[in-house]
Amino acid sequence: MENQIPVQNGNILDGNSVAAVNGGRNGDGSALIFLGTGCSSAVPNVRCLIQPSDPPCPVCSQSLSIPPDRNPNYRCNTSLLIDYCSDEGIHNYIIIDVGKTFREQVLRWFTFHKIPRIDSIILTHEHADAILGLDDIRAVQPHSPTNNIDPTAIYLTQYAMDSVAEKFPYLVKKKLREGQEVRRVAQLDWKIIEEHYDKPFVASGLKFFPLPVMHGEDYLCLGYLFGEKCKVAYISDVSRFPSNTEYVISKNGAGQLDILILDCLYKTGSFNVHLCLPQTLEALKRICPKRALLIGMTHEFDHHKDNEFLREWSEREGINVQLARDVMQCSLNKWDYRKESGSIYRMSIIYVNQTRARLAGTASNCDFER
C-alpha cells in the first residue's frame, strides 16, 4: 500500500484531483477506515439507557448528548474498510465484516468519508456481528428491479458459507421456482477461502493471507494479513493464537507488523471467547508490532481516559498502542528521506480527526513513531 497522503505542517495536502477521478474520498493513497470498533452489542449499551443506573454509566450516557461523530465512545460492530489505491491511482473499497450495524455505518461513515461503493467483502466468521448486514448490501449496489447487475465478490470459509445459506437462503439461491416473483436482493459472488488457510487470495487487487485464530476453543475464526510496503494484520475475534499464526505476525517470527488491529473486549479479567485488555497487552509484548489499534471494546472502556493509560504503557513497553474509534482514518504514508548514506524510508500512521479537519481544514497528527 503506497502513494499515501503527504502531510505538511500537520495538514493533509490536497487530493481533489484523484478523488474526482475515483468518485471517492479526498486524498491520494490507501487508507484504513474504522467503520466500527465495538462489541457485538455495540456501545452505548441499550440497558444503560433504558434502565439507567444511579449514577448513570459515564460512557453510555454520553450518547444522549454527544453526536456519534464527536463521541469516540460510540461504537458500532467491528468492521474495517480498506480504501486500496493502486499504483495507477484507482481506488477499490474492500470491507471486512458487515454486522448488525452495517446500515448505520454506511449512513454515518460512508457519507462522511465519501465512500461511493463496495468492491469486495471479506468475512472473518459467521456470527451475527459479522454477517447480519448482508441483506443491506443491496443498498450500496446499483438499483435493478430484476437483479441484473454485476455481483459483489464476497470471501468466506465453507463453514461460514453453510451458515449464511441457512440464514439468508435468498442471497445464495440463484434459480427461481416456477411462479416465483423476482424480488430485488443483494447480488453476491460467493468465493470460498481454501480450507487449510495456507494460500493467499486477491480481493479487488489486494492480496490477503488468512490468519486462523481461536474464537473460543470450539470455534475457528479468521483474521487477515495484508499490505506489501506496510504490513497490516486485522484480528477482530480471538481468544488464543495458534502457534503458526502467531509466528506469521510476530517480530521474532516471520517479521514485524507495521500495524496490528486486535480484539480487546473487557478492561479487566478474562473471557472465554475474546481477549481482554490484560491478555491483549501480553499478546502485544509477544508479537511486538510497531503499533497496535484495539477494537471490539465494551462500554467498560472510556476512550480518552484509557488511551492515557495506554500512552503510558506504550512509553514503558516501547510498543505504540491505543484504542481505535469509529470514523477514524489511518492513512498509510511513506516519506523518502535522502541522506548521504542512502535512502531511508519512514512509515507512519496519521490518525485523522475528521470532525476537526472539516471544521478547521486541518488534520490532527497523532503519529506515535518513536
Side-chain angles (χ1 to χ4, degrees), residues 261-298:
I261 301 166
L262 187 58
D263 188 16
C264 186
L265 184 68
Y266 291 120
K267 195 170 172 179
T268 59
S270 62
F271 197 64
N272 62 325
V273 296
H274 286 277
L275 296 180
C276 299
L277 184 60
Q279 298 86 51
T280 298
L281 294 180
E282 285 302 313
L284 291 178
K285 287 194 283 187
R286 296 195 312 271
I287 296 167
C288 198
K290 291 182 182 176
R291 59 194 60 80
L293 296 167
L294 307 186
I295 59 172
M297 292 81 69
T298 65

Side-chain angles (χ1 to χ4, degrees), residues 211-213 225 231 235 241-257 286-287:
L211 298 171
V213 296
L225 175 67
K231 289 174 60 178
I235 303 174
F241 295 95
S243 57
N244 287 351
T245 295
E246 186 162 322
Y247 177 85
V248 167
I249 61 175
S250 294
K251 180 179 180 180
N252 292 330
Q256 189 176 31
L257 294 172
R286 296 195 312 271
I287 296 167

Side-chain angles (χ1 to χ4, degrees), residues 1 26 34 49 53 68 84 92 101 106 158 172-173 198 202 221 298 320 347-348:
M1 303 175 94
N26 291 329
F34 289 81
L49 301 184
S53 58
Y84 173 58
N92 282 303
T101 57
V106 170
Q158 184 62 58
V172 178
K173 293 178 181 177
D198 56 354
V202 177
C221 183
T298 65
N320 299 319
M347 301 295 296
S348 72

Side-chain angles (χ1 to χ4, degrees), residues 56-319:
C57 171
V59 169
C60 294
S61 59
Q62 293 177 13
S63 66
L64 298 175
S65 58
I66 304 174
D69 62 335
R70 289 189 283 136
N71 181 5
N73 288 319
Y74 191 97
R75 304 180 182 114
C76 292
N77 293 156
T78 53
S79 181
L80 183 73
L81 185 86
I82 304 165
D83 177 358
Y84 173 58
C85 183
S86 68
D87 291 340
E88 293 74 31
I90 303 301
H91 289 257
N92 282 303
Y93 303 95
I94 306 160
I95 190 171
I96 301 181
D97 287 344
V98 284
K100 297 178 288 183
T101 57
F102 171 68
R103 186 174 184 274
E104 179 182 358
Q105 290 163 319
V106 170
L107 292 174
R108 291 191 188 282
W109 311 137
F110 275 49
T111 55
F112 198 86
H113 285 288
K114 296 183 172 62
I115 304 302
R117 65 185 183 275
I118 293 173
D119 294 301
S120 296
I121 303 164
I122 300 174
L123 299 182
T124 59
H125 63 313
E126 44 72 57
H127 287 169
D129 57 347
I131 70 164
L132 284 194
L134 284 174
D135 181 80
D136 283 318
I137 292 295
R138 65 177 176 165
V140 297
Q141 292 182 322
H143 185 273
S144 172
T146 60
N147 297 320
N148 186 26
I149 60 172
D150 292 332
T152 301
I154 178 168
Y155 299 82
L156 71 171
T157 65
Q158 184 62 58
Y159 183 84
M161 179 77 258
D162 295 341
S163 178
V164 169
E166 290 181 1
K167 296 178 177 71
F168 298 99
Y170 58 92
L171 296 181
V172 178
K173 293 178 181 177
K174 298 297 181 182
K175 284 190 175 182
L176 296 176
R177 300 187 306 272
E178 184 177 351
Q180 184 179 4
E181 295 284 356
V182 175
R183 288 175 171 82
R184 183 175 174 241
V185 298
Q187 297 301 296
L188 299 168
D189 180 13
W190 304 94
K191 296 182 179 295
I192 304 301
I193 298 170
E194 292 192 24
E195 185 175 358
H196 296 295
Y197 315 124
D198 56 354
K199 295 181 181 177
F201 61 91
V202 177
S204 298
L206 183 59
K207 185 182 292 186
F208 290 84
F209 293 84
L211 298 171
V213 296
M214 303 312 297
H215 183 16
E217 288 304 305
D218 61 346
Y219 192 91
L220 190 71
C221 183
L222 292 184
Y224 295 98
L225 175 67
F226 58 92
E228 296 172 357
K229 292 191 163 89
C230 184
K231 289 174 60 178
V232 181
Y234 179 85
I235 303 174
S236 59
D237 295 78
V238 57
S239 56
R240 180 174 64 82
F241 295 95
S243 57
N244 287 351
T245 295
E246 186 162 322
Y247 177 85
V248 167
I249 61 175
S250 294
K251 180 179 180 180
N252 292 330
Q256 189 176 31
L257 294 172
D258 292 292
I259 307 166
L260 174 58
I261 301 166
L262 187 58
D263 188 16
C264 186
L265 184 68
Y266 291 120
K267 195 170 172 179
T268 59
S270 62
F271 197 64
N272 62 325
V273 296
H274 286 277
L275 296 180
C276 299
L277 184 60
Q279 298 86 51
T280 298
L281 294 180
E282 285 302 313
L284 291 178
K285 287 194 283 187
R286 296 195 312 271
I287 296 167
C288 198
K290 291 182 182 176
R291 59 194 60 80
L293 296 167
L294 307 186
I295 59 172
M297 292 81 69
T298 65
H299 65 155
E300 287 189 1
F301 287 90
D302 182 287
H303 185 83
H304 295 300
K305 291 180 180 178
D306 290 313
N307 267 341
E308 282 298 320
F309 164 79
L310 290 174
R311 187 170 291 109
E312 294 174 3
W313 187 92
S314 298
E315 292 175 356
R316 185 171 65 251
E317 299 294 338
I319 304 170

